């Protein structure tokens, strides 16, 4: 996608958003159920769950390198084949945190879920706020964004009946900008109205979770319904313990980024923090995932340089193949691994 066609795409999506917030019949989300792209599911059937990934932007890569593909059908077939491998390796559910403003293609997500047998949960919310990009819901008020998020959870996404089951909000720096704060408050209000949980792109290096918690709490949110994702970028146990004692969860989903020697914290330190949190009794506050850009991973070998920047080694199976064996090696119990990969998602993604 060229930058102008990308802008056009985003503008059209934003216009669809205006239409989307017009009043329509309210439909209560199913309490106690996980809301997947194939409909409500008993959360005990989610299985091993990757809580922060990106699948739904796959067709963006098709548009960017169209010559490498026969077309959408071939691209989708390749995606399904790859996801079947992930399913066969024991992953039950992938939570897709691709919001409308970062090329979410809900039809693609539904199709690859149905054909691969992997359960998928789609996200509403917003990743980027101005001035980072010009694109945001035109209303740009707490009320306007709350209505848009609720619409995607209660009625459906982009004119379909496919409903979001989680709210994703992006906060880029240590403290939110004025517009990011509007998004954060809207996320909290949509969570209260629908029972959906919130996952936040958090700048952990600057302890951003500590800046966001008071805003969330001023909206009356239950911290148990919030996960600060990319937390392992911090490596600071004092920061981690402060947030989990306050009731928040931590997404440890960048662990692969510590693998190259030039990146800190190192893989070993990120894993050690997970063990220390388990030892302190907080396995019930941790999610393991890898923030993978799945569409990029499907690119041909000659695009590898770019692909390598965005996708973890082993792709969607880094956690299974590399992280969990290492955690076991340093003494994390099977029970705690089960808690982090199965029990926490079962509880968190059930609508309350
Ligand atoms: Zn992400």
């Amino acid at each position: 996608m060229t930058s102008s066609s990308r802008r056009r795409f985003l503008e059209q999506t934003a216009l669809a958003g205006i239409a989307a917030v017009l009043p329509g019949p309210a439909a209560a989300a199913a309490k106690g159920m996980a809301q997947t792209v194939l409909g409500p599911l008993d959360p005990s059937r989610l299985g091993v769950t990757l809580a922060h990934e990106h699948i739904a932007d796959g067709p963006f890569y098709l548009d960017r390198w169209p010559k490498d593909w026969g077309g959408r059908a071939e691209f989708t077939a390749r995606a399904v084949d790859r996801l079947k491998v992930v399913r066969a390796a024991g992953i039950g559910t992938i939570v897709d945190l691709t919001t409308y403003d970062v090329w979410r293609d809900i039809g693609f997500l539904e199709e690859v879920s149905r054909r691969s047998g992997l359960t998928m949960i789609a996200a509403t919310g917003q990743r980027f706020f101005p001035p980072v990009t010009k694109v945001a819901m035109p209303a740009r008020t707490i009320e306007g964004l709350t209505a848009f998020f609720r619409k995607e959870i209660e009625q459906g996404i982009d004119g379909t009946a496919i409903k979001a089951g989680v709210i994703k909000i992006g906060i880029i720096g240590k403290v939110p900008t004025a517009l990011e704060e509007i998004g954060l408050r809207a996320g909290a209000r949509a969570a209260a109205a629908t029972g959906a949980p919130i996952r936040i792109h958090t700048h952990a290096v600057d302890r951003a979770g500590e800046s966001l918690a008071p805003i969330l709490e001023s909206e009356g949110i239950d911290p148990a319904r919030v996960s600060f994702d990319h937390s392992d970028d911090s490596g600071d146990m004092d920061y981690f313990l402060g947030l989990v004692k306050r009731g928040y969860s931590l997404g440890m989903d960048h662990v692969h980024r510590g693998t190259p020697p030039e990146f800190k914290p190192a893989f070993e330190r990120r894993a050690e923090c997970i063990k220390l949190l388990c030892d302190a009794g907080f396995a019930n506050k941790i999610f393991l995932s890898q923030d993978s850009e799945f569409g990029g991973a499907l690119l041909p070998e000659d695009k590898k340089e770019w692909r390598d920047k965005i996708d973890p080694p082993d792709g969607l199976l880094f956690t299974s193949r590399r992280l969990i064996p290492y955690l076991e090696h340093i003494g994390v119990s099977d029970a705690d691994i089960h808690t982090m990969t199965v029990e926490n998602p079962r509880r968190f993604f059930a609508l309350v």
Side-chain angles (χ1 to χ4, degrees):
M1 217 182 264
T2 64
S3 66
S4 68
S5 69
R6 176 189 302 181
R7 200 177 317 118
R8 224 167 25 246
F9 170 82
L10 290 170
E11 283 165 2
Q12 284 164 359
T13 313
L15 286 173
I18 301 176
V21 296
L22 295 174
K31 302 292 176 198
M33 304 292 268
Q35 191 148 272
T36 81
V37 296
L38 300 181
L41 185 72
D42 188 309
S44 68
R45 295 177 60 194
L46 294 175
V48 173
T49 298
L50 299 172
H52 188 135
E53 304 295 342
H54 298 278
I55 307 289
D57 54 349
F60 164 72
Y61 297 89
L62 173 66
D63 291 344
R64 187 161 170 174
W65 287 279
K67 284 198 292 293
D68 293 311
W69 304 97
R72 182 163 171 130
E74 187 190 316
F75 180 86
T76 303
R78 184 161 175 173
V80 169
D81 285 349
R82 194 71 73 90
L83 291 169
K84 282 180 176 170
V85 173
V86 175
R87 179 77 190 91
I91 305 297
T93 298
I94 294 178
V95 180
D96 185 273
L97 291 184
T98 310
T99 46
Y100 80 92
D101 58 337
V102 279
W103 317 295
R104 179 192 59 193
D105 185 323
I106 196 66
F108 177 77
L109 193 67
E110 188 272 344
E111 182 174 358
V112 298
S113 174
R114 188 163 32 80
R115 290 172 56 186
S116 68
L118 266 165
T119 300
M120 306 263 185
I121 294 174
T124 187
Q126 184 158 315
R127 172 65 185 84
F128 291 114
F129 290 83
V132 178
T133 63
K134 285 193 282 184
V135 179
M137 278 297 123
R140 285 189 202 165
T141 61
I142 299 174
E143 292 74 19
L145 277 176
T146 303
F148 174 69
F149 299 161
R150 286 191 61 175
K151 183 256 161 202
E152 293 206 330
I153 297 166
E154 295 176 331
Q155 297 174 38
I157 293 171
D158 295 342
T160 73
I162 303 164
K163 297 171 182 173
V166 61
I167 300 162
K168 147 75 168 289
I169 298 293
I171 309 288
I172 290 178
K174 177 178 170 62
V175 292
T177 65
L179 285 169
E180 284 175 338
E181 183 172 332
I182 286 173
L184 188 65
R185 291 186 183 279
R189 292 184 194 181
T194 63
I198 304 180
R199 304 196 74 93
I200 301 173
H201 170 104
T202 310
H203 192 56
V205 176
D206 284 331
R207 305 173 73 108
E210 292 173 347
S211 312
L212 308 182
I215 298 170
L216 290 161
E217 289 159 20
S218 76
E219 291 289 339
I221 197 134
D222 175 1
R225 303 302 293 153
V226 179
S227 178
F228 292 118
D229 288 357
H230 318 324
S231 282
D232 56 290
D233 287 335
S234 153
D236 181 339
M237 282 301 296
D238 177 67
Y239 170 66
F240 292 152
L241 287 168
L243 291 176
V244 294
K245 286 177 181 169
R246 216 159 158 170
Y248 293 97
S249 292
L250 305 174
M252 303 306 210
D253 48 46
H254 279 173
V255 183
H256 58 280
R257 296 193 182 186
T259 311
E262 64 271 28
F263 288 104
K264 300 282 181 259
F267 169 82
E268 291 79 6
R269 173 59 183 166
R270 294 174 194 247
E272 180 187 28
C273 289
I274 294 169
K275 179 184 186 318
L276 291 170
L277 285 162
C278 289
D279 291 348
F282 293 109
N284 64 341
K285 293 295 181 190
I286 299 172
F287 293 92
L288 305 181
S289 203
Q290 56 243 318
D291 195 18
S292 174
E293 291 279 356
F294 176 71
L298 295 175
L299 290 171
E301 282 301 309
D302 61 341
K303 305 297 188 303
K304 202 170 191 312
E305 188 190 346
W306 193 75
R307 185 182 76 184
D308 280 355
K309 287 185 199 152
I310 55 170
D311 203 54
D314 297 302
L316 289 163
L317 292 175
F318 175 86
T319 297
S320 308
R321 289 179 179 167
R322 305 276 298 274
L323 177 58
I324 289 175
Y326 184 79
L327 291 174
E328 289 170 338
H329 170 69
I330 61 175
V332 176
S333 70
D334 287 350
D336 281 347
I337 288 169
H338 189 261
T339 296
M340 293 186 280
T341 57
V342 177
E343 290 175 26
N344 295 345
R346 178 191 300 172
R347 182 184 67 247
F348 190 78
F349 292 107
L351 303 183
V352 297

